[in-house]
Every structure is written in C-alpha cells, then in structure tokens.
Amino acid sequence: MTLPALLPGLASPVGAAYARLAEVFAGLSVTELGGDEPVPTGDGWVVAGDLAAGGQALDTFLAWDDAQVRRDYGRPARPDVIASFGLHRYAWSACLLITLPWFLDRRVPRLPAGSVAYQRERGRMAVRVDGFACLPDDPAAVLPGARVVADEEALRAEVREAVAEHLTPVLAAFGPRMRRRGRALWGMATDEVVEGLWYIAHLLGEERRGVTELERLFPGTTAPYVGTAGFREIPVPDGDPLPTRDRASCCMFYTLRPEDTCVTCPRTCDADRVRRLRQSA
C-alpha cells in the first residue's frame, strides 16, 4: 500500500481518515481537539471517561435509549437490553476512531476514555489523540507523538491494544447493567470492531479489503477479544455463494421483535440469511 504524503503544515496523523469518514457516512463526524482545548461537555455531550465511571452520566446516557425504545416500539425493554443497546451505539462509533485511520493510512491513534466525547443526537465525536503508532516508511513518523513499529503485524497489535485501552473501563461500567462479563462483553466488543469497519469499508468501495484486514486483525488467538472476524460464505444451489458473518454476541433486539433478528445474529439460520440478503440485493 502507498501511504499518503503529509501536506505541508498538516500536523494531524488522523485528520484525513476522519475527513474521509464524514464524506461517506453522514451519521458520524469527528473533531480533533488541540492540546489545551477542553473535551466538550453539556449540550448532549458525554465524555467516555464519565461513562466509565458509571453513576449519573451513565444513567442519563441510558435514559436516552430507554426513551427511544418506548417511542419507536411502543413498549419498554428490559434494563439489560437497554444497556446493551447503549453500549452498542457508543462502541460502534468509538472503535472507528481507531480502526479507520489504521485501515486507510496505517496509523493507530491512542485514545484513552478521558480523551473522547460523544454527542450522539448529532452524530458527533471529539477526540484528543494521545500519540499514535505507524510504520517505518510513513511520513507521519516525524510528527510529535509518533511511535514507529516494525511491521504490519505489530501495527495490528497496536490496533487491538488501543481499542482495549479505550473500551476496558467502559465495558466495566456497562457490564453489570447488561448482566454480562468477561468473554460475553469482549465478544460484543469484537463485533463492534468488525461490523463498524466492515460497514465503512463497504461505503468506501473497499469491502473485500476490509474483510481481509479484519480477518488478519482477529485470527482467533487475540485475547481479550473473542473468536475470529467470523466471515464466511453461504453456498446456494442456484447462484454464487453469499457473504455473511457470524456475530460473537447477540444484541438482544429479538427481545423486542422476536421475528426480526439481525442478519449476522447467531440466532438467524442460513435459510433466513439467504432470503434477506437476496431481498437487500
């Protein structure tokens, strides 16, 4: 892969990736904060570090999910289901802050929970990058905060470590409310990493490469993450095989609509997947 040259005066190793995200996905925009610029609060913003602390910040965050479910489905959901929805909606976006710069530019930012804020009603995130990893031939290697690693496998390890650094305290706060812990929580985290980048890679017109990269990122031996990326093909007798993946976890949406599971849910059989994939195509 040919890495992009830095433009004169460009000091951000991840700015181009975040700009590309905003171009292809209107549901999320990312603002980088300067060294002295405070992480935004108020007006719907929540700092990930405050979510990780639990308490009122997490109560308020999950109240939004509870109200949305009651409004859209006309019924309440169990508290553990609401917590699962809330974690998904945060983690899907948060993981992209790390995985997309890696996918596009081979740069892996470090983003502790206290360095990220989220305004989900407007689909906005604000981040302060706390250093980044890159390859030896990357022109960004001369920037402050750069940490050069030996090769692609070392960079993949940086991705896994950066995501784990960010999510570990967040999972610790959400876990008791979700009635999940350990392997079940990290199975959900694995799904958020995979499905977020898989979707954005599709929007970028690079889905095949996205699948390949994710399979290398999660070969199945990368604790605390659970399993492989889960991609496979479903053979069909009257056409080409259909691509799918098997989630490591369940999002619990079936508790609201038992007949309407996700197409990648372990509860969805292959016959239903084939039918729904053909309909969407």
Side-chain angles (χ1 to χ4, degrees), residues 21-118:
L21 173 63
E23 289 175 4
V24 299
F25 181 54
L28 183 62
S29 63
V30 183
T31 300
E32 288 187 78
L33 302 171
D36 298 326
E37 193 174 357
V39 177
T41 57
D43 192 28
W45 286 96
V46 61
V47 179
D50 292 339
L51 290 180
Q56 186 60 50
L58 186 53
D59 290 342
T60 301
F61 188 80
L62 295 178
W64 188 96
D65 295 279
D66 181 62
Q68 178 266 320
V69 166
R70 292 172 185 269
R71 180 183 67 247
D72 291 355
Y73 302 107
R75 53 173 292 190
R78 298 188 328 231
D80 60 309
V81 174
I82 292 295
S84 296
F85 289 177
L87 177 63
H88 160 67
R89 287 162 172 163
Y90 174 74
W92 191 94
S93 299
C95 290
L96 284 170
L97 299 173
I98 296 166
T99 60
L100 193 61
W102 163 68
F103 180 69
L104 291 178
D105 298 331
R106 287 306 191 252
R107 296 166 191 161
V108 181
R110 287 287 180 152
L111 294 167
S115 299
V116 175
Y118 184 38

Side-chain angles (χ1 to χ4, degrees), residues 18 21 28 30 87-103 107-109 111 116 125 127 159-160 162-164 166-168 170-171 186 188-198 200 214 217-218 225:
Y18 294 161
L21 173 63
L28 183 62
V30 183
L87 177 63
H88 160 67
R89 287 162 172 163
Y90 174 74
W92 191 94
S93 299
C95 290
L96 284 170
L97 299 173
I98 296 166
T99 60
L100 193 61
W102 163 68
F103 180 69
R107 296 166 191 161
V108 181
L111 294 167
V116 175
M125 302 193 89
V127 304
V159 175
R160 294 187 290 265
V163 171
H166 183 85
L167 284 186
T168 293
V170 176
L171 294 178
W186 283 102
M188 191 169 183
T190 305
D191 286 329
E192 303 305 344
V193 173
V194 174
E195 298 210 338
L197 187 58
W198 183 28
I200 298 302
L214 286 163
L217 184 67
F218 293 127
Y225 303 97

Side-chain angles (χ1 to χ4, degrees), residues 44-280:
W45 286 96
V46 61
V47 179
D50 292 339
L51 290 180
Q56 186 60 50
L58 186 53
D59 290 342
T60 301
F61 188 80
L62 295 178
W64 188 96
D65 295 279
D66 181 62
Q68 178 266 320
V69 166
R70 292 172 185 269
R71 180 183 67 247
D72 291 355
Y73 302 107
R75 53 173 292 190
R78 298 188 328 231
D80 60 309
V81 174
I82 292 295
S84 296
F85 289 177
L87 177 63
H88 160 67
R89 287 162 172 163
Y90 174 74
W92 191 94
S93 299
C95 290
L96 284 170
L97 299 173
I98 296 166
T99 60
L100 193 61
W102 163 68
F103 180 69
L104 291 178
D105 298 331
R106 287 306 191 252
R107 296 166 191 161
V108 181
R110 287 287 180 152
L111 294 167
S115 299
V116 175
Y118 184 38
Q119 217 287 13
R120 67 171 161 191
E121 291 186 7
R122 300 177 187 173
R124 299 168 62 193
M125 302 193 89
V127 304
R128 179 181 294 108
V129 175
D130 186 19
F132 67 100
C134 64
L135 296 172
D137 61 348
D138 188 336
V142 301
L143 292 177
R147 185 174 65 262
V148 177
V149 299
D151 53 27
E152 291 280 0
E153 180 51 42
L155 202 62
R156 284 190 284 270
E158 290 284 339
V159 175
R160 294 187 290 265
E161 290 172 13
V163 171
E165 177 188 33
H166 183 85
L167 284 186
T168 293
V170 176
L171 294 178
F174 275 86
R177 299 181 185 232
M178 295 166 57
R179 297 193 295 185
R180 300 189 193 186
R181 58 184 178 181
R183 182 178 176 83
L185 281 174
W186 283 102
M188 191 169 183
T190 305
D191 286 329
E192 303 305 344
V193 173
V194 174
E195 298 210 338
L197 187 58
W198 183 28
Y199 179 70
I200 298 302
H202 167 73
L203 297 183
L204 290 165
E206 295 195 67
E207 183 174 3
R208 184 177 297 275
R209 185 169 77 84
V211 168
T212 299
E213 296 283 12
L214 286 163
E215 289 176 332
R216 292 170 178 166
L217 184 67
F218 293 127
T221 55
T222 53
Y225 303 97
V226 175
T228 68
F231 293 106
R232 63 184 177 91
E233 291 186 332
I234 305 173
V236 293
D238 56 347
D240 294 331
L242 295 174
T244 188
R245 75 172 294 262
D246 295 315
R247 289 177 56 90
S249 67
C250 177
C251 71
M252 309 297 283
F253 184 71
Y254 79 93
T255 62
L256 288 174
R257 288 186 175 176
E259 74 286 356
D260 191 13
T261 58
C262 304
V263 73
T264 57
C265 179
R267 295 173 175 271
T268 306
C269 69
D270 279 2
D272 284 342
R273 293 189 190 208
V274 169
R275 175 180 56 81
R276 291 163 64 178
L277 288 169
R278 285 179 163 173
Q279 287 175 345
S280 65

